[in-house]
Amino acid sequence: MKKIAFVFVFSLLLHNLSFAQNAKRDQFVASLIKKMTIDEKLGQLNLLVGGEATTGSVVSSNVESKLKAGKVGGIFSLSSPEKTRKAQELALQSRLKIPAIFGMDVIHGYRTMFPIPLGMSATWDMDLIEKSARMAAQEATADGIFWTFSPMVDICRDPRWGRASEGSGEDVFLGSKIAAAMVKGYQGKNLADKNTMLACVKHFALYGAAEGGRDYNTTDMSRVRMYNEYLPPYKAALDAGAGSIMASFNEIDGIPATANKWLLTDLLRKEWGFKGFVVTDYTGNNEMIDHGIGDLQTVTAKALRAGSDMDMVGEGFLNTLKKSLVEEKVTQAEIDRAVRLILNAKYDLGLFEDPFRYCDENRAKTEIYNDETRAFSREVATKSFVLLKNKNNVLPLNTSQKIAVVGPLINNKENMAGTWSVSETRTNSITLMEGLRNALGEKIEILQARGANIYSDPVMDANAAMFGKTTGRDNRSDEELLFEAVRVAKDADVIVAALGESAEMSGESSSRSQIDIPENQRNLLKALVKTGKPVVLVLFTGRPLVLTWENENVDAILNVWFAGTEAGNAIADALYGKVNPSGKLSMSFPRNEGQIPVYYNHKNTGRPHSGKPGYEKFRSNYLDVTNEPLFPFGYGLSYTTFEYGDIKLDKTSMTESQQIKVSVEVKNTGSYDGEEVVQLYIRDKVGTNTRPVKELKDFKKVLIKKGESTTVEFTVRLDNLKYYTNELQYIAEKGVFEAMIGGDSDKVKKAEFVLK
Ligand code: BGC
């Protein structure tokens, strides 16, 4: 009781303190706004790109003179304390000396790269994910950057979309947890601390639901689906305190997000109470001309009125809002709102107190890319790997086996970190060959051959090598490359075929209609399998791929995504059993492209397939492929095996104020210690709305020593049973529910309970 009273008083104190701080800030900002001319105000809404990384055709010009003239609110992609100091000095030459904000796409690490976000999500480890964001913030702020365009929390059920690599997969519960963990990691306890940075949640909203998986394409969905399946991760990130949010490129209900008042004002501000600022995506404002909703002045006015505050790169706000104000197309209050929210963020970041607080050359020397960050990168990389197949326990390898390592990326530093690694130093990356050499030492022979290019077609190969991340194309013919690899492999005891995608085959504007391993690489794999030697496929990929042939024909598949700076060392750790893989998929792997979208939490339909083998007439299924994906959500093997006991419930019914404890015993029945992600799913068996066949509601990652077992317990609360109805009421309905626990979304133990 005493403790509760203490916590209550303490949180009241904290609340009052932050109230007082906010009041002080509001007063400061209000008096500053009073002094500002209209041009100075519009300057604050202007975000320019500093040079190094651009994702559109427009690049900012005359940045220096604009800074001095007070026409820039912030700059992104300018790094190093020297450069940001210089830019800040220019900003401070403006009449009101308002400091600029410096941002960057710090997506999965800063200089020390971690696995791509889809890989990070496969760790299902929130502490690790939070720590990765913390460490990225530590490095970025030491290099002059204190605003990141991350986390990307767009739910994606379509692996054709290249940006699946940047998110946390298909599930709303896991996605929401990760969104919150990332924000906490970046922003820490206090935004004004020197090593914390402002998070920017993106892309608001529904960007991952682009039709056909084609980037920037139209989205269209019901409100019920939005509220239940797509919006919660954005909300979770904001609830965790994210101070900014980015409008997405796509339209929603026929209006681009950037100018969508329902989205940016009614939902975001009124319903959710968001107090931070909205930035457009890269020229997102100007692109509304091509969307077809008006000329630059019109779309800009619409964007501001809808709730966009800062204009990324396009300069429409800077150049047209003054005219719109005169013509009464926007109001002074709307402009002041945007200015106020941006100045608030600058105040919270401590910039008015010390504009150079993130320009510390000494920090840059010691806090970026050091032993600690590298060790962490290696650890997190190993935890992101997903073991998809391991026939006859071909993995882990042992050092007495002679290995042949084959594939286009085995010696390629540029492709280890994956997409969105704009701030990496590419030469730092450890390749697969380097990692294996480090693990095996100089004395053990390692056979190697390239075997194939990423693509046979040079044009496709060039498309797969954006941002100067060359694929190291070998100009020999496919046959010559393959022949050499087979000859080399014949001398080995086991073949490690490292195949798949190059780093830039996923990420922005890298949609694919066929998501398999390119044909020439598959031909190589077929030839390697034909040698009769055991073949381990080490899969580089930024998205779920179609691996139906591979799953039938190779012995083991270790999916290593793009694992970051320490990729090669981490892969060697996993291949030789120094670590036991524990990653679980956060996105289903389809059997073929025709199954897309395939996701675990689908509806039952009125004509569900019975689940027995084979096609069923007049049931919801295909003639030529089953409904189930090749590898389901939550799936991933280990070098050991886990056996699940039956589900136990402490009671079989609950009232609204009660809860049920659901538990299961998990036994490690193999011969290695291992970590297992135990997953709890719930099905609402009868609802006013139709309900998914199952939904993830909780999970726990546990380490179980070989031969030992542990009981994993979850608590089912009313909140786990709620959903948004047609009227968008968030309710739990009385009736029968099913609890399911398992090591993936498919193989589960079940038990029913009732909400009374
Ligand atoms: C992307 C954003 C990114 C921005 C700035 C855009 O093209 O959609 O995710 O933050 O560029 O680099």
Side-chain angles (χ1 to χ4, degrees):
M1 195 59 201
K2 253 191 195 159
K3 198 173 157 200
I4 296 175
F6 174 77
V7 171
F8 179 72
V9 172
F10 187 68
S11 55
L12 204 71
L13 270 174
L14 274 184
H15 177 79
N16 287 344
L17 196 71
S18 79
F19 189 76
Q21 274 165 352
N22 283 350
K24 212 169 136 203
R25 176 193 70 190
D26 294 349
Q27 221 176 16
F28 174 88
V29 167
S31 78
L32 182 56
I33 290 179
K34 271 196 199 131
K35 292 182 208 144
M36 294 171 83
T37 64
I38 178 72
D39 291 319
E40 284 164 340
K41 286 178 181 175
L42 299 184
Q44 286 305 304
L45 315 188
N46 196 27
L47 175 65
L48 297 183
V49 62
E52 283 140 35
T54 53
T55 54
S57 51
V58 184
V59 180
S60 305
S61 58
N62 303 328
V63 180
E64 293 198 4
S65 59
K66 282 177 189 156
L67 268 169
K68 278 199 255 181
K71 289 186 172 175
V72 181
I75 298 184
F76 70 101
S77 291
L78 189 73
S79 55
S80 87
E82 293 82 9
K83 284 189 200 158
T84 53
R85 177 182 291 281
K86 189 173 161 232
Q88 196 65 295
E89 279 166 359
L90 292 171
L92 294 177
Q93 286 178 32
S94 62
R95 188 181 73 96
L96 289 171
K97 306 189 185 339
I98 300 177
I101 189 170
F102 295 100
M104 174 84 102
D105 287 280
V106 181
I107 308 294
H108 51 113
Y110 179 70
R111 182 84 74 248
T112 314
M113 300 307 302
F114 308 128
I116 54 165
L118 190 63
M120 289 294 299
S121 69
T123 67
W124 294 56
D125 187 329
M126 296 311 116
D127 293 339
L128 215 66
I129 289 173
E130 182 174 335
K131 190 170 167 195
S132 76
R134 183 88 292 283
M135 207 170 252
Q138 181 87 28
E139 283 195 339
T141 54
D143 214 25
I145 290 159
F146 45 91
W147 182 29
T148 175
F149 303 139
S150 173
M152 191 282 221
V153 305
D154 306 317
I155 294 293
C156 175
R157 293 167 169 178
D158 193 331
R160 290 172 298 180
W161 193 50
R163 303 196 81 169
S165 56
E166 294 175 50
S168 299
E170 72 190 34
D171 183 61
V172 70
F173 180 83
L174 180 63
S176 300
K177 290 266 177 226
I178 293 175
M182 297 282 291
V183 171
K184 281 189 218 147
Y186 288 132
Q187 297 199 164
K189 290 203 170 58
N190 183 357
L191 261 188
D193 285 346
K194 287 194 174 170
N195 59 4
T196 57
M197 71 197 307
L198 178 67
C200 181
V201 188
K202 68 188 190 187
H203 306 81
F204 195 54
L206 320 180
Y207 183 41
E211 284 176 2
R214 205 181 75 212
D215 208 1
Y216 317 127
N217 204 5
T218 306
T219 63
D220 194 12
M221 71 173 71
S222 68
R223 287 282 147 92
V224 175
R225 175 163 267 185
M226 280 186 210
Y227 272 72
N228 284 309
E229 301 166 31
Y230 280 79
L231 293 177
Y234 306 103
K235 173 83 164 44
L238 299 178
D239 288 347
S244 65
I245 190 164
M246 187 185 292
S248 53
F249 285 127
N250 55 282
E251 66 174 59
I252 292 169
D253 298 335
I255 313 267
T258 313
N260 195 311
K261 182 171 169 298
W262 170 77
L263 185 76
L264 301 183
T265 298
D266 299 349
L267 176 69
L268 182 65
R269 266 128 184 181
K270 292 191 182 148
E271 203 173 309
W272 290 359
F274 177 59
K275 301 270 187 290
F277 72 93
V278 177
V279 62
T280 74
D281 202 344
Y282 203 108
T283 56
N285 181 44
N286 314 52
E287 288 169 24
M288 293 191 288
I289 303 170
D290 280 329
H291 273 286
I293 64 161
D295 59 15
L296 185 62
Q297 188 191 348
T298 310
V299 295
T300 305
K302 284 186 183 184
L304 180 83
R305 281 205 316 261
S308 286
D309 302 306
M310 196 178 226
D311 179 7
M312 190 191 289
V313 180
E315 301 195 85
F317 279 38
L318 186 76
N319 295 324
T320 71
L321 280 181
K322 197 167 165 182
K323 187 160 179 262
S324 292
L325 181 65
V326 175
E327 294 170 3
E328 296 184 356
K329 290 182 175 139
V330 297
T331 64
Q332 187 64 59
E334 283 160 347
I335 293 176
D336 286 358
R337 173 212 76 219
V339 178
R340 178 169 50 78
L341 294 174
I342 291 162
L343 294 180
N344 281 353
K346 292 185 175 181
Y347 186 99
D348 292 343
L349 283 159
L351 293 177
F352 288 107
E353 215 177 81
D354 176 8
F356 300 103
R357 69 194 310 129
Y358 305 97
C359 305
D360 182 342
E361 287 79 359
N362 288 328
R363 278 190 65 201
K365 276 184 214 132
T366 55
E367 291 180 28
I368 301 176
Y369 187 66
N370 54 36
D371 288 350
E372 188 199 348
T373 62
R374 287 182 52 187
F376 178 71
S377 173
R378 182 169 176 165
E379 179 195 349
V380 73
T382 58
K383 298 216 170 188
S384 73
F385 298 159
V386 185
L387 184 63
L388 296 172
K389 183 179 179 190
N390 194 17
K391 196 170 101 191
N392 302 330
N393 294 328
V394 62
L395 287 176
L397 304 173
N398 68 65
T399 49
S400 65
Q401 292 165 303
K402 191 191 258 192
I403 56 167
V405 186
V406 177
L409 298 179
I410 59 174
N411 269 322
N412 186 307
K413 284 182 178 287
E414 293 152 33
N415 279 271
M416 291 301 102
T419 190
W420 279 121
S421 38
V422 287
S423 43
E424 71 168 331
T425 303
R426 290 183 189 157
T427 47
N428 286 345
S429 283
I430 306 291
T431 67
L432 177 56
M433 283 311 297
E434 287 170 331
L436 289 168
R437 184 51 73 210
N438 292 342
L440 298 177
E442 290 305 322
K443 292 204 184 99
I444 296 181
E445 189 187 7
I446 308 176
L447 303 169
Q448 57 166 311
R450 183 176 176 90
N453 286 314
I454 289 286
Y455 278 106
S456 175
D457 177 358
V459 176
M460 288 298 291
D461 216 57
N463 288 346
M466 290 288 147
F467 303 118
K469 293 183 188 171
T470 56
T471 56
R473 189 173 179 79
D474 187 317
N475 286 327
R476 283 177 288 171
S477 70
D478 291 350
E479 293 70 28
E480 279 172 281
L481 289 167
L482 185 148
F483 183 77
E484 180 194 58
V486 170
R487 185 172 44 77
V488 167
K490 279 191 175 146
D491 287 337
D493 300 318
V494 55
I495 301 168
V496 174
L499 306 176
E501 296 191 319
S502 65
E504 293 302 327
M505 280 169 71
S506 60
E508 186 168 351
S509 190
S510 290
S511 297
R512 297 178 65 197
S513 67
Q514 259 184 293
I515 51 165
D516 46 9
I517 294 179
E519 198 186 352
N520 57 316
Q521 292 191 54
R522 172 141 343 129
N523 288 341
L524 166 67
L525 195 57
K526 282 181 181 163
L528 295 172
V529 168
K530 258 202 188 145
T531 63
K533 312 263 175 189
V535 176
V536 174
L537 171 60
V538 170
L539 183 72
F540 289 107
T541 184
R543 53 153 65 80
L545 293 185
V546 168
L547 299 170
T548 311
W549 185 89
E550 289 76 3
N551 186 45
E552 269 162 30
N553 292 285
V554 303
D555 299 279
I557 307 176
L558 182 69
N559 180 10
V560 299
W561 313 106
F562 291 98
T565 310
E566 287 290 310
N569 285 332
I571 298 170
D573 287 345
L575 289 177
Y576 283 93
K578 207 167 151 194
V579 297
N580 184 355
S582 60
K584 299 271 189 177
L585 298 178
S586 61
M587 207 170 161
S588 311
F589 275 45
R591 287 174 194 273
N592 64 25
E593 288 84 358
Q595 279 190 319
I596 299 170
V598 58
Y599 50 94
Y600 83 95
N601 47 351
H602 57 84
K603 298 290 182 73
N604 201 38
T605 79
R607 293 188 174 192
H609 187 273
S610 70
K612 293 183 198 128
Y615 162 75
E616 292 172 358
K617 191 73 182 165
F618 302 124
R619 297 270 120 194
S620 180
N621 61 162
Y622 300 99
L623 279 167
D624 53 355
V625 66
T626 62
N627 288 354
E628 287 67 43
L630 184 64
F631 302 118
F633 174 82
Y635 172 84
L637 303 172
S638 161
Y639 292 155
T640 193
T641 43
F642 298 103
E643 210 176 271
Y644 281 69
D646 287 332
I647 292 200
K648 293 201 180 102
L649 308 181
D650 72 340
K651 50 181 170 309
T652 51
S653 67
M654 64 184 259
T655 61
E656 292 204 346
S657 58
Q658 290 177 325
Q659 47 197 36
I660 292 183
K661 299 243 186 273
V662 190
S663 62
V664 74
E665 191 173 82
V666 186
K667 184 162 189 206
N668 181 339
T669 48
S671 39
Y672 295 86
D673 298 346
E675 283 186 294
E676 169 74 335
V677 180
V678 182
Q679 302 155 41
L680 169 74
Y681 297 87
I682 291 182
R683 177 172 188 177
D684 183 353
K685 298 212 54 169
V686 183
T688 303
N689 278 31
T690 63
R691 308 288 296 116
V693 295
K694 56 178 74 113
E695 292 173 292
L696 183 72
K697 291 295 174 182
D698 207 350
F699 57 86
K700 277 186 185 150
K701 192 167 184 176
V702 286
L703 172 70
I704 312 177
K705 296 233 159 82
K706 62 178 170 200
E708 292 186 4
S709 47
T710 188
T711 299
V712 178
E713 185 181 271
F714 299 102
T715 305
V716 176
R717 299 186 176 83
L718 189 68
D719 225 38
N720 301 129
L721 311 180
K722 287 187 174 171
Y723 75 101
Y724 288 94
T725 63
N726 261 11
E727 281 79 41
L728 301 183
Q729 280 177 315
Y730 192 53
I731 56 165
E733 295 178 308
K734 296 195 164 74
V736 180
F737 291 81
E738 196 166 50
M740 291 163 259
I741 300 184
D744 64 55
S745 62
D746 185 43
K747 278 195 202 60
V748 288
K749 297 285 177 94
K750 303 178 182 181
E752 283 189 351
F753 65 92
V754 174
L755 175 67
K756 290 193 290 197

